[in-house]
Amino acid sequence: IRELTSGGAEIVVEACGLPLTFRQAIASTRLFGQVVFLGNIHGTFELSEKEFSSILRREFTMYGTWNSKVTPRGRDEWSRVLGAMENDVRVLPLVSDIVPLTEGPQTLHAMHNKERWFNKVLLQVDETAPSEVRP
């Protein structure tokens, strides 16, 4: 990401909750950028001195946001959703749009201005991925 964006992304959102993706989010952020930590962390999250020093040098802003009830384990919101998906609950009909990442700003603008109805919008990062799941 740093190479493709000439130094890093302006805004990075970590939503997986894995120690690896937390570190990747930090590594992907540009000078004076922003990182939003959304994922509920599982496992031990540690930074090396070099990783921590890179945060200081890039002077970016970190935000944390709470996204769901996570305890008790097995009865949290994420476990309920994943369990429903395992039992053949069809979620694709809930997706109103799958758009390339390059169309993200225009799509968010249209959503904000309520130009048309949106339900669940997915941003497709890899535009070479199969598109047969498009609604």
Side-chain angles (χ1 to χ4, degrees):
I1 291 175
R2 291 178 68 77
E3 182 180 311
L4 292 171
T5 58
S6 300
E10 182 176 340
I11 299 172
V12 176
V13 178
E14 191 293 325
C16 294
L18 300 173
L20 173 65
T21 54
F22 269 59
R23 286 192 308 276
Q24 289 172 335
I26 290 168
S28 301
T29 305
R30 74 172 179 90
L31 181 68
F32 303 117
Q34 300 175 57
V35 178
V36 178
F37 292 108
L38 171 70
N40 296 314
I41 191 83
H42 289 286
T44 302
F45 175 57
E46 296 179 4
L47 292 174
S48 68
E49 288 180 35
K50 182 178 178 182
E51 289 170 314
F52 189 78
S53 182
S54 75
I55 292 171
L56 300 177
R57 284 192 309 273
R58 285 182 281 138
E59 301 182 69
F60 59 76
T61 304
M62 294 159 103
Y63 297 96
T65 186
W66 194 245
N67 65 20
S68 66
K69 177 181 152 196
V70 296
T71 57
R73 188 91 172 133
R75 293 180 49 201
D76 59 277
E77 294 165 350
W78 289 107
S79 296
R80 290 183 70 191
V81 169
L82 293 173
M85 290 175 68
E86 288 175 352
N87 291 318
D88 297 325
V89 171
R90 295 178 39 219
V91 295
L92 189 58
L94 300 174
V95 177
S96 62
D97 298 84
I98 300 175
V99 298
L101 186 59
T102 55
E103 294 177 22
Q106 301 95 304
T107 303
L108 290 171
H109 181 76
M111 292 168 72
H112 177 75
N113 291 328
K114 299 180 180 167
E115 293 177 13
R116 65 178 184 80
W117 179 84
F118 292 91
N119 194 42
K120 183 67 158 181
V121 177
L122 302 178
L123 297 176
Q124 186 174 4
V125 176
D126 182 358
E127 294 182 29
T128 63
S131 58
E132 66 268 4
V133 297
R134 290 182 188 266

